[in-house]
Amino acid sequence: FRGLFYPPLRRSLGPTLAIVIDGIIFGALHMQYLSIVSLILVGMILTYVYEKTESLYAPILTHALYNGLVVVISLLMSWPLF
């Protein structure tokens, strides 16, 4: 998302609107509609991290940490992962 969708969106719309749209695309393409608001926010945060660091490694690491945290919380709360 940050390497493919965001750069052209940023060039045409500026960073703020591009971050919002990239987050919406991120959330929608995950197709988990009960969690879409949180997924959009995560997408926006990951794009913001990319904007500030100018590196794809930072949002990749952030995404991995987020996914790991979700798994740990799900296991601790005995929630189904899928």
Side-chain angles (χ1 to χ4, degrees), residues 12-55:
S12 62
L13 303 173
T16 303
L17 188 54
I19 287 171
V20 172
I21 291 173
D22 192 74
I24 292 169
I25 294 168
F26 179 86
L29 290 180
H30 273 77
M31 293 192 278
Q32 295 177 3
Y33 300 110
L34 295 176
S35 324
I36 194 158
V37 172
S38 63
L39 287 168
I40 289 171
L41 291 173
V42 168
M44 290 170 59
I45 290 167
L46 294 172
T47 307
Y48 179 79
V49 169
Y50 173 72
E51 173 69 26
K52 290 303 175 188
T53 63
E54 297 180 0
S55 168

Side-chain angles (χ1 to χ4, degrees), residues 57-73:
Y57 294 114
I60 289 170
L61 178 61
T62 305
H63 194 289
L65 292 171
Y66 171 77
N67 285 351
L69 183 63
V70 168
V71 168
V72 168
I73 290 170

